[in-house]
Amino acid sequence: MKRIEEPVLLVVFGASGDLSKRKLIPALYHLAYQNLLPHNFTLIGFARTKYSDEEFRALAREGIEEYGPQGIDEHVWHAFSQGLYYQSGNYDDEKSFQALAARVKQFDTERGTAGNHLYYLATPPEVFASISTLIAQVGLCGMGETTKSENGTHRLVIEKPFGHDLESARKLNEHLLNIYAEDQIYRIDHYLGKETVQNILVFRFGNGIFEPIWNRNYIDHVQITVAESLGIGDRGGYYNQSGALRDMVQNHMMQLFALTAMEPPVSFDAEPVRDQKVNVLRSMRPLESDAAASSVVRAQYGSGVSDGREIPDYTQEKNVPTTSVTDTYVAWRVEVDNWRWKGVPFYLRTGKAMAAKVSEINIVFKKPPMLLFKNVVKDERAPSNVLTLRIQPDEGIRLSFDAKRPGPAVNIGRVAMEFMYSDHFGKQPAADAYERLLLDALVGDSTLFIRRDETELAWERVTQITEAWRLEEAAAKKKSKQIKLPKYAAGTWGPNEADELLARDGRYWRNPQSVSLAR
């Protein structure tokens, strides 16, 4: 990763929250440990909770010790902690922001940060608009200025969820673009900071043996799975307003889908990469209301045991209504209408309380004519060649193929070639996704962040599904009926209806037999 040469001041809104403690501050400390931050790096935490500078530093140290990749190096900590400060205030109070502005300008002079500011919104989405407005109103960022102004460099990082549907995403984008230029806005999805997600591009476009067969002539279908083993826990109030489709599909899964299906960019710079991702989303076949029922399965987890924990039925979770029809599982059959993928379905699925926590992409290649082996192949449905790109855990790549078993008879066995990151690059864990993304935002590299049109296209496709569900629920209500979603037991791979979604095409889900890629 590249070292930041210019001085910079980072303001984290929501600095007393969980994201700051678990991810942001440990990631920044580890960047300092690797000597990637400038020597006068300055962070101001801003939140409603009242802390002194010293109390905030103690909170930061606690987060680094608990969630950081290694212990505290006292020499590094001393230098890093001297740049940590805190300002309490309300997110909609101009006086609080005036006090923040005074302190920012003080540090611009005292610590030499030269007006280079990054504002990170690690807050609930309902305060995104007020924070971004007040930053400009108190003079911390000029209205409509370019990325680099005479007053320094100003950028804004905004966490997900970016909107609740297409209309709210457009409204938020329009609001932000009345204040900031598009190249100042960094819409973050931490999945794009994962090493194995970025490696999809290198694997595809850096290897001459794979890109020529990455198309409809050789690939039968693609499966993308993002499964979580835990239920919603104490997040019932939030999750019941979101559901799996909004919480996972609209962002994380759309990113994996776009990277898998995109055309080669002319370079790995921000605009060429993001242009090709947008083209994939534009090529997705739109879903009419009547088609959603046959292409999308939604379900809720029932009681069961997952990851060694007893999990209650979703409707029995805290802050979840017993009549809830919020989805905790979604499976979606996606069609891409372009030259590369015409006729190749992409099956996307995600769910809570499933059999394992695992994220992977399975590229299932077409089978050769089987007449030659009709007497020796036991399962004609089983594909011979499957390429598995494992995102988490046990990051790696696996290619399966058939080979003859030793002996006088022609007996075929399934074998695999495997690459494990930990085996090849050592046991040292990969950098946390937030390390890479924070560093990129600080230096102004937006390649791994999401552009406005990409955000809105993803929401457009997802909103087509939510609108179909809304019409279904309205029709049931008109008939005084209650919608009942399919159920799947916690600790399983999903409902029967999701299996039937693939069975109609003569296919089946490739469920990991274990958390380990080597299976």
Side-chain angles (χ1 to χ4, degrees):
M1 294 190 288
K2 54 261 184 191
R3 187 180 191 276
I4 303 170
E5 299 297 339
E6 291 191 357
V8 63
L9 183 148
L10 169 64
V11 180
V12 176
F13 295 94
S16 63
D18 191 55
L19 177 62
S20 178
K21 180 179 179 180
R22 287 191 307 109
K23 293 292 185 180
L24 301 183
I25 291 178
L28 289 165
Y29 169 79
H30 199 229
L31 290 175
Y33 180 84
Q34 299 169 81
N35 197 32
L36 295 173
L37 296 181
H39 74 278
N40 58 346
F41 174 76
T42 305
L43 183 153
I44 301 177
F46 184 97
R48 297 188 183 102
T49 308
K50 293 187 181 299
Y51 287 126
S52 66
D53 291 342
E54 288 305 320
E55 287 172 332
F56 180 60
R57 289 167 184 164
L59 181 73
R61 181 172 181 126
E62 182 182 310
I64 295 166
E65 289 176 337
E66 186 173 356
Y67 300 106
Q70 60 202 34
I72 293 278
D73 180 301
E74 294 298 337
H75 176 74
V76 175
W77 166 250
H78 176 75
F80 177 73
S81 64
Q82 296 309 300
L84 302 182
Y85 301 90
Y86 188 83
Q87 186 78 28
S88 63
N90 293 318
Y91 299 127
D92 57 356
D93 178 40
E94 186 171 352
K95 288 184 178 179
S96 297
F97 276 72
Q98 288 171 346
L100 173 65
R103 209 163 192 202
V104 167
K105 291 171 183 176
Q106 172 192 344
F107 292 143
D108 278 343
T109 302
E110 292 181 359
R111 295 186 59 81
T113 47
N116 297 323
H117 305 153
L118 178 68
Y119 306 107
Y120 197 117
L121 275 58
T123 62
E126 56 265 23
V127 296
F128 287 169
S130 63
I131 293 174
S132 55
T133 299
L134 286 169
I135 288 172
Q137 283 184 4
V138 299
L140 288 176
C141 182
M143 301 285 280
E145 69 182 12
T146 57
T147 300
K148 184 76 174 178
S149 74
E150 60 183 12
N151 299 318
T153 300
H154 303 147
R155 303 186 184 99
L156 181 81
V157 178
I158 190 162
E159 272 283 349
K160 79 176 190 73
F162 193 92
H164 185 72
D165 53 18
L166 177 59
E167 182 181 356
S168 60
R170 280 177 174 165
K171 185 177 180 180
L172 180 55
N173 273 325
E174 289 167 1
H175 167 80
L176 292 173
L177 289 167
N178 283 330
I179 305 171
Y180 308 92
E182 172 62 35
D183 61 359
Q184 289 178 281
I185 303 169
Y186 288 65
R187 302 169 189 84
I188 194 169
D189 183 339
H190 75 269
Y191 250 54
L192 289 177
K194 292 180 178 293
E195 288 286 351
T196 42
V197 172
Q198 297 166 49
N199 192 53
I200 295 172
L201 297 178
V202 176
F203 180 82
R204 279 193 58 191
F205 304 128
N207 294 289
I209 62 174
F210 289 111
E211 181 55 27
I213 61 173
W214 207 269
N215 56 58
R216 59 191 169 97
N217 295 325
Y218 299 95
I219 293 175
D220 179 77
H221 70 280
V222 178
Q223 297 182 20
I224 303 177
T225 297
V226 177
E228 299 180 88
S229 58
L230 300 180
I232 61 166
D234 295 328
R235 300 173 66 224
Y238 160 76
Y239 196 87
N240 201 58
Q241 300 299 317
S242 174
L245 185 68
R246 289 185 172 98
D247 189 49
M248 293 295 289
V249 176
Q250 187 275 334
N251 39 73
H252 299 336
M253 298 205 71
M254 283 293 195
Q255 293 301 317
L256 296 180
F257 163 68
L259 291 170
T260 304
M262 67 187 278
E263 295 296 321
V266 295
S267 71
F268 281 151
D269 295 326
E271 293 314 304
V273 171
R274 299 198 290 185
D275 284 344
Q276 296 302 339
K277 288 163 62 184
V278 166
N279 287 340
V280 172
L281 300 182
R282 287 197 177 114
S283 299
M284 292 175 68
R285 182 178 299 173
L287 274 181
E288 303 298 334
S289 295
D290 55 348
S294 60
S295 299
V296 183
V297 172
R298 57 172 168 163
Q300 289 178 347
Y301 62 78
S303 60
V305 178
S306 180
D307 200 23
R309 303 184 186 187
E310 291 277 353
I311 296 180
D313 187 287
Y314 174 73
T315 57
Q316 302 302 313
E317 295 276 23
K318 184 180 178 181
N319 297 323
V320 175
T322 57
T323 58
S324 173
V325 291
T326 296
D327 47 293
T328 68
Y329 176 98
V330 172
W332 182 6
R333 185 185 190 277
V334 175
E335 294 269 5
V336 182
D337 283 336
N338 62 19
W339 282 101
R340 183 182 291 266
W341 297 113
K342 177 69 174 178
V344 179
F346 285 70
Y347 300 101
L348 281 57
R349 64 170 170 172
T350 184
K352 293 281 191 183
M354 294 180 70
K357 179 179 176 64
V358 59
S359 298
E360 67 180 27
I361 301 166
N362 283 295
I363 313 297
V364 182
F365 291 92
K366 290 181 177 180
K367 293 189 295 186
M370 300 304 292
L371 180 63
L372 180 64
F373 302 108
K374 68 177 181 179
N375 296 323
V376 293
V377 175
K378 295 180 180 179
D379 184 359
E380 292 188 1
R381 289 201 322 156
S384 300
N385 308 128
V386 179
L387 178 66
T388 300
L389 306 176
R390 173 64 65 82
I391 309 302
Q392 64 178 12
D394 273 355
E395 296 89 345
I397 300 169
R398 184 178 195 264
L399 177 64
S400 67
F401 56 95
D402 284 343
K404 178 185 174 297
R405 295 180 183 276
V410 179
N411 291 316
I412 293 177
R414 186 67 40 79
V415 296
M417 293 189 296
E418 296 172 342
F419 153 69
M420 307 294 288
Y421 276 86
S422 58
D423 292 341
H424 193 78
F425 296 116
K427 298 295 182 180
Q428 180 70 21
D432 182 83
Y434 278 97
E435 285 184 39
R436 173 63 188 271
L437 295 174
L438 279 165
L439 194 63
D440 282 357
L442 288 165
V443 300
D445 184 348
S446 58
T447 305
L448 299 178
F449 295 84
I450 303 170
R451 205 168 60 191
R452 173 186 182 168
D453 50 356
E454 187 179 349
T455 301
E456 293 183 8
L457 277 167
W459 270 122
E460 182 179 319
R461 299 302 185 237
V462 165
T463 300
Q464 290 169 352
I465 298 174
T466 58
E467 180 62 17
W469 290 350
R470 187 190 66 79
L471 293 174
E472 180 187 4
E473 291 161 17
K477 186 177 181 180
K478 193 173 182 179
K479 297 177 182 179
S480 301
K481 293 183 178 180
Q482 173 66 38
I483 292 282
K484 290 188 176 180
L485 300 190
K487 290 283 187 179
Y488 62 99
T492 64
W493 285 108
N496 294 332
E497 288 80 357
D499 295 333
E500 293 166 5
L501 179 68
L502 271 69
R504 291 198 298 266
D505 297 337
R507 302 181 177 106
Y508 59 91
W509 290 109
R510 293 189 55 79
N511 297 328
Q513 300 302 308
S514 68
V515 174
S516 174
L517 183 66
R519 60 185 186 275

